Amino acid sequence: MKAAVFEAIDQPLRIENLADPEPGEGDVVVKVGRCGICGSDLHMASDPAYGCAAGDVFGHEFAGEVVATGRHVASLRPGDLVAVVPLVSCGACDHCRRGAVQWCAAFALQGGGYAEFAKTRQNQCIKLGTDVSLADGALVEPLAVALHGINRSGMKAGDKVLVLGAGPIGLALAFWARKRGAARVVVQDITPFQQERAIEMGADTFVVDLADPVGAADRALRGKADIVFECVGAPGLITQAVAQVKPQGTILLLGLCTKPDTLDTFAMLAKEVSLVTSAFFTIPDYEAALAVLDQGAIEPRLMISRTIVLDQVPQVFESLKQRTGDCKVMIAP
């Protein structure tokens, strides 16, 4: 099979021919139909903290058609269309039974979507409804990450919400915040590239003001935020969020930051700010994200900016390391 393969930090991906995967007893082989390029993939290719090795195949946002199953797989058969939950787990422990698979002792991250075929496990496959496309299936993961953040934040109808960062996760948060009844949703970024998309997905206002980010957000929100969602992962943004949130408000941390940061704990304590983190998602989050697409929600589909083939992946992947007008680029192997 053809795949886009990681070679080394800060080196372009390389197209290679690899052996087709064979299913083990409890495994499923999926013909990849769509796979999203995630911002964390870009970070993994540039930051040694993620521990990527030569020969790795990225791609955790994918959906496709089941083409082979192991002899212990009873719930799926060839021809089924599935979205793949990219969180490896045993499927049997207490955490797995309640859907919190990220706390399973066997937890690992599933990649492999930048290829024609990928091997996964039956408990990671969620069948797609008749009204859900493979492109929709590849959108479920970022939608579920954002929904988990919303749930962790304790957001209520009527809250004022500020989203820092207009990447796919930030835009998905704007969608969920609007759907959950936020009184006002403001998305803030350092470039205007995603302004139109953010408004279409649920934001009231899009803010770009490098000179006065706190004042600009206050004016757009008409006060301080009840909840600030930090979706960038850059040092200094938690301190900025403290200045943007109301007393006894919440900062929900979703951005992945591998660099040390300094917190102004005095300012946080003075406001009694709650700093909450959000990691991955639960299976109920994932199923709810899939259900909203199955019910016809149009807004999440607006994140898809273009679709490319595997041979284009190395060049496009490199271009995405710089800020562009792209949002969610899909691969159609």
Side-chain angles (χ1 to χ4, degrees):
M1 69 173 183
K2 187 184 291 187
V5 179
F6 173 75
E7 190 167 19
I9 293 294
D10 289 331
Q11 296 297 312
L13 303 182
R14 186 178 65 251
I15 300 297
E16 289 189 8
N17 287 311
L18 305 178
D20 290 351
E22 297 288 338
E25 292 182 343
D27 294 332
V28 176
V29 175
V30 173
K31 180 181 179 182
V32 179
R34 290 290 188 278
C35 181
I37 296 178
C38 178
S40 59
D41 297 339
L42 302 172
H43 295 318
M44 289 190 298
S46 301
D47 190 335
Y50 290 90
C52 295
D56 286 349
V57 178
F58 295 162
H60 57 273
E61 301 177 0
F62 70 96
E65 178 185 349
V66 174
V67 293
T69 59
R71 64 189 185 93
H72 289 168
V73 175
S75 60
L76 297 164
R77 58 186 177 184
D80 286 342
L81 300 182
V82 297
V84 176
V85 177
L87 308 181
V88 178
S89 62
C90 74
C93 68
D94 288 342
H95 295 301
C96 288
R97 282 195 293 271
R98 64 186 179 87
V101 295
Q102 66 268 51
W103 312 128
C104 174
F107 173 77
L109 294 177
Q110 162 92 55
Y114 291 13
E116 292 179 299
F117 300 95
K119 183 169 71 173
T120 186
R121 303 171 70 171
Q122 66 174 328
N123 67 306
Q124 292 175 243
C125 294
I126 308 291
K127 290 183 182 179
L128 299 181
T130 55
D131 294 327
V132 178
S133 69
L134 290 174
D136 294 336
L139 281 176
V140 177
E141 196 271 352
L143 275 180
V145 168
L147 178 57
H148 189 61
I150 289 280
N151 290 336
R152 290 276 297 155
S153 76
M155 196 209 97
K156 309 179 298 300
D159 281 347
K160 293 180 180 179
V161 168
L162 174 63
V163 178
L164 302 181
I169 300 302
L171 296 177
L173 276 162
F175 164 73
W176 287 117
R178 174 61 61 218
K179 191 172 182 63
R180 290 286 183 89
R184 194 152 183 83
V185 180
V186 173
V187 175
Q188 186 166 28
D189 203 281
I190 60 173
T191 74
F193 289 135
Q194 304 303 333
Q195 179 169 349
E196 182 178 349
R197 191 173 270 117
I199 300 301
E200 290 175 336
M201 289 190 64
D204 294 289
T205 307
F206 190 95
V207 175
V208 178
D209 191 329
L210 302 184
D212 183 19
V214 175
D218 289 352
R219 291 187 290 274
L221 284 165
R222 300 166 191 162
K224 297 293 184 183
D226 293 287
I227 304 171
V228 179
F229 292 93
E230 199 282 273
C231 305
V232 180
L237 277 184
I238 297 176
T239 295
Q240 177 181 309
V242 172
Q244 293 172 308
V245 76
K246 73 175 187 179
Q248 296 188 317
T250 298
I251 298 168
L252 192 287
L253 191 60
L254 272 166
L256 296 174
C257 184
T258 61
K259 299 178 178 66
D261 199 358
T262 300
L263 301 182
D264 185 347
T265 55
F266 182 83
M268 295 175 73
L269 185 149
K271 278 187 166 182
E272 290 191 344
V273 169
S274 296
L275 179 62
V276 181
T277 60
S278 181
F280 305 109
F281 50 83
T282 66
I283 298 303
D285 295 328
Y286 195 89
E287 291 171 339
L290 181 56
V292 82
L293 292 169
D294 200 17
Q295 292 159 8
I298 295 171
E299 295 90 343
R301 297 170 166 105
L302 300 174
M303 289 192 291
I304 301 173
S305 52
R306 57 173 160 155
T307 301
I308 62 174
V309 298
L310 265 175
D311 286 337
Q312 296 174 282
V313 170
Q315 179 181 358
V316 173
F317 192 89
E318 287 301 301
S319 74
L320 292 174
K321 292 179 180 180
Q322 307 298 320
R323 297 296 298 270
T324 71
D326 268 313
C327 185
K328 179 60 66 181
V329 176
M330 289 283 181
I331 303 166

